[in-house]
Every structure is written in structure tokens, then in C-alpha cells.
Amino acid sequence: MQRRRKTGSKQQSKTLIYTALALTFIAVVLTSLIVGYYFGYDEAKGELQKKEHSREEKRLSVLKKLEEESSAKKAEQDVNSRLKEVLKKESKPLEKIEITENNQTKIIDEKVKEELKEEAVKEYENASHEIEGAVLPTPPKREIVKSSAKPKLAIIIDDVSVKSHVSAISDLKLPITMSFLPPSERRPNSHTLAAKEKFYMVHLPMEAKNFKREEPFTLKTDDSQEKISQRIAEIKKLFPRVKYINNHAGSKFTSNEGAVKRLIHVLNEQNINFIDSRTIGESKVQMAMKSYHKPYVSRDIFLDHEVDKNYIKSQIKKAIEVAKLHGSAIAIGHPHANTIAAILESKPLFKDVELVLVDKLY
């Protein structure tokens, strides 16, 4: 009896041990599963958070790009809107505007105010510079320059004459050279606008072969030395800080060597530099400059011979390439809405050159 009891106790002990081991194994397995689950959950949660963060960054990037495009489009629309309102925004009354030449004074009457405005607006909307011939005259060949210095590009905007022109150009926040037309009945305040600028040029009207919209007081090929001197003295009085002049139209005048020499002689006396707009291939300005031992400076590219924004942008690219090839370049444009918009949209291209005012070009 006693031996049976001992045998039964041993069997019970073994059973308990096995049961305990089994329970321990089960507990270990369950613990591993639970721990693995939580670790896996945390890892999966982290991956999901990373993906969500990446998606959010992409979304914000797209939104930012859309905002930038919207801002650029709005800026362009603002520029275009301003320019389309040329002269209409000019609020200064014209009751007593005086234009003087050779001691003769003209006074603009209030009656012709609206007529002059309408004429000027119409001219602006259809404005184009005068070029003789279907093909743009190319400047003389220039030396190819290899230099480590950044090439310089000067952009001159001709025909600046009203406040809206100045505002649109200033809003570009770029060193653009403004070349002001002398005051006239249609643009009586150009000299006062120039006076507010740190640097400016004068866009001097000269006789053309076929140009129909001749400015008042245009220099003629048969003007005497005395008459040219008198006109430049008047320009100096209106624009006392002028150091650079370029020709408005002038295909006939600049192709006449005698006329050009008379002009350059006077400009030298007044310490004024001349930049040839090259409105004709037969320009004699280079020859005249050589006779006076002065450097010849001329435009390289016309930006808006065609007033199409894509064309103007392609001309800006050409001007940059010319600057890279020769170390410097001059481009000439006009205050058309598309010209201003094209310059605005071409800002990223100017990283390859140093955009400067003409007095910093050489």
C-alpha cells in the first residue's frame, strides 16, 4: 500500500512539472507574440507617419508652386494693366504747359488736353521704332573676349516719357536704363520725371528717311553747328545730369557724316557720350567717333522689333549670348506691355550675366 502511494505521488509530481513547463512555454510564446505585435505595430506606425509626412510635404510643395505661378501671373497682369493705361493715369493738369525752343514759347490749352491724350495713347498702342529696311541693321563685328569676369548686359528702354512708363520699369527691380524723350506737347513732363531718377539717358529725335511720326525739334541733317549747339544746350538745361544720349529714329541723320560730326563735336564740348541706336546699316557714327578719337558704342540687339512676347524673350536670350561672346552687350527696347512682361519673365536668365546701367558697362 505504501509503495503504491509513493508511485502515485511521483506520477503526480511529473504531471505538475510537465504542466508547469507547458504553461511556461505557452506564456513565453504568447509574450513573444504580444511583444512582436507591439514592436511591429510601432514600426508600421512609424512608416505610415513617414509616408503621411512625405505626402504632406509634396502637397505643400505643389501648393507653393501654384501660389508662385499665380503671383507671377498676377504680377504680369498688373504690369500689362498699368501699361495699357498709359497717359490715362496721368492726373497732372495740362492747362499751362510751356514748351520752349529758340526763345519761342508754346502754351497748351485745356481744350486740346483730351485730344493730345488720345493721340498719345493711340501712338503707344501702335508704337514701333523706326528701322530702315526689312532687315535689322547689325552692328560692326566685335572682338571675341575670353575672360573670367562675368559678362555685362545693359538694357536701354527708349521713348520713356510718362509716369506709367517709369513706374512699370521701376517695378521690375532691375538696373534698366531709361532713355527719356525730350518734353513735347504730348509728353510735357518727361524732364521732370527724369529728374527723379538717379541715372537716365536722353533719347534725342533725329531726322529719318521714312519715319512718319517725327518728334518736334528733331535734329536735321542740314542743321548748322550753331543750331545743333543751341538744341543740345536746351537738352542740357532740361536734363542737367545727362551723360549719355542715343538717337530716336535718325536713319537719315546718322547716315550723314557731316551732320554726325557736328553733333559729336557739340556733345564732346558738353561732356556727353553718344550711343548709336543703329537704325540704319549705313550709320556714320563709328567713322565720326574715330575722327574724334572717341570709342564707338552701339546697340547689339533690338528687343521688340516685333511686339510679340515670345519674340522679345528670344531676343533677350540673344543679347545674353552676345554679352557672353564679347564680354558686354547693349539691348534696346521700348515701354510696350509685352517688352516689360518679357523682361520680367526672363529674370532667371540674367543669372548668367551682370545686368548694369550703361554707365557701368565699360
Side-chain angles (χ1 to χ4, degrees):
M1 283 290 287
Q2 194 173 7
R3 197 175 287 174
R4 284 181 184 175
R5 284 178 186 171
K6 287 182 179 179
T7 303
S9 296
K10 288 180 180 179
Q11 287 177 346
Q12 287 176 354
S13 296
K14 287 180 180 179
T15 301
L16 289 171
I17 291 168
Y18 291 144
T19 302
L21 289 172
L23 290 172
T24 302
F25 176 77
I26 291 168
V28 169
V29 170
L30 287 173
T31 301
S32 298
L33 289 172
I34 291 168
V35 170
Y37 170 78
Y38 279 108
F39 273 110
Y41 173 77
D42 287 341
E43 188 176 346
K45 186 178 178 182
E47 289 296 323
L48 285 171
Q49 287 176 338
K50 285 181 183 178
K51 288 180 180 179
E52 185 64 28
H53 182 67
S54 178
R55 279 197 294 268
E56 182 65 14
E57 282 186 337
K58 287 179 181 178
R59 187 180 73 84
L60 292 173
S61 176
V62 170
L63 285 174
K64 186 178 179 181
K65 187 175 181 181
L66 288 172
E67 286 175 2
E68 288 174 352
E69 289 176 353
S70 177
S71 298
K73 189 174 181 181
K74 186 177 183 299
E76 181 183 341
Q77 288 172 344
D78 289 344
V79 169
N80 289 343
S81 297
R82 280 195 301 272
L83 289 170
K84 285 176 182 177
E85 292 300 316
V86 170
L87 290 178
K88 291 179 181 179
K89 293 182 178 180
E90 298 299 309
S91 57
K92 187 171 181 178
L94 301 176
E95 293 91 349
K96 268 197 164 184
I97 299 298
E98 297 183 358
I99 305 296
T100 304
E101 184 194 32
N102 301 334
N103 298 320
Q104 294 181 358
T105 301
K106 291 182 180 180
I107 299 178
I108 298 177
D109 197 292
E110 174 66 22
K111 290 190 298 181
V112 298
K113 176 180 174 182
E114 292 305 317
E115 182 182 342
L116 292 174
K117 275 191 175 186
E118 287 175 11
E119 186 179 353
V121 170
K122 184 179 179 182
E123 179 190 44
Y124 170 75
E125 290 172 346
N126 298 283
S128 62
H129 49 268
E130 176 257 0
I131 302 292
E132 290 295 334
V135 180
L136 287 170
T138 57
K141 288 185 178 180
R142 296 174 58 194
E143 180 185 357
I144 295 175
V145 175
K146 292 183 179 179
S147 171
S148 58
K150 203 168 189 179
K152 294 180 179 181
L153 172 63
I155 296 178
I156 300 171
I157 299 296
D158 285 345
D159 297 348
V160 179
S161 52
V162 293
K163 188 177 179 181
S164 46
H165 292 165
V166 175
S167 297
I169 295 166
S170 298
D171 285 349
L172 290 171
K173 307 297 182 187
L174 292 170
I176 303 293
T177 301
M178 299 186 210
S179 193
F180 287 82
L181 281 167
S184 65
E185 290 182 352
R186 287 176 293 177
R187 310 174 185 85
N189 306 315
S190 61
H191 60 305
T192 58
L193 291 169
K196 297 174 185 177
E197 300 302 312
K198 290 182 179 179
F199 178 80
Y200 58 79
M201 286 178 57
V202 171
H203 195 41
L204 190 61
M206 300 181 193
E207 188 177 7
K209 291 186 175 182
N210 298 306
F211 195 48
K212 304 301 180 187
R213 294 192 302 273
E214 185 175 273
E215 290 288 315
F217 318 138
T218 291
L219 288 182
K220 306 287 187 178
T221 55
D222 58 359
D223 283 346
S224 66
Q225 187 77 67
E226 183 182 0
K227 190 169 184 179
I228 293 175
S229 295
Q230 191 172 31
R231 181 57 180 151
I232 298 303
E234 290 166 353
I235 292 295
K236 187 77 173 177
K237 188 176 179 180
L238 289 163
F239 301 90
R241 289 184 287 113
V242 63
K243 292 295 180 185
Y244 290 83
I245 280 177
N246 70 325
N247 53 295
H248 172 73
S251 57
K252 185 174 181 179
F253 190 96
T254 58
S255 59
N256 184 301
E257 188 176 354
V260 173
K261 283 185 175 180
R262 290 193 291 276
L263 173 63
I264 300 303
H265 175 76
V266 175
L267 294 180
N268 283 346
E269 289 182 335
Q270 295 287 350
N271 194 29
I272 298 173
N273 301 289
F274 186 74
I275 295 176
D276 187 3
S277 299
R278 285 198 70 84
T279 55
I280 190 167
E282 292 77 37
S283 171
K284 297 296 189 295
V285 176
Q286 185 176 23
M287 194 179 299
M289 288 295 191
K290 188 176 181 180
S291 67
Y292 281 100
H293 307 287
K294 299 277 288 185
Y296 174 65
V297 181
S298 71
R299 64 95 196 154
D300 295 285
I301 297 290
F302 269 127
L303 297 181
D304 46 13
H305 183 58
E306 297 176 21
V307 191
D308 172 78
K309 190 167 70 173
N310 288 331
Y311 172 82
I312 297 166
K313 288 167 81 171
S314 71
Q315 291 297 93
I316 290 172
K317 290 178 183 177
K318 286 182 182 179
I320 290 171
E321 291 307 311
V322 171
K324 287 180 179 178
L325 189 62
H326 302 295
S328 64
I330 294 176
I332 290 180
H334 299 78
H336 304 304
N338 279 347
T339 303
I340 301 299
I343 293 172
L344 179 69
E345 292 174 17
S346 298
K347 275 189 176 183
L349 300 177
F350 296 134
K351 69 181 186 301
D352 295 332
V353 294
E354 183 184 357
L355 200 60
V356 297
L357 299 173
V358 291
D359 64 331
K360 305 296 183 186
L361 196 61
Y362 301 103

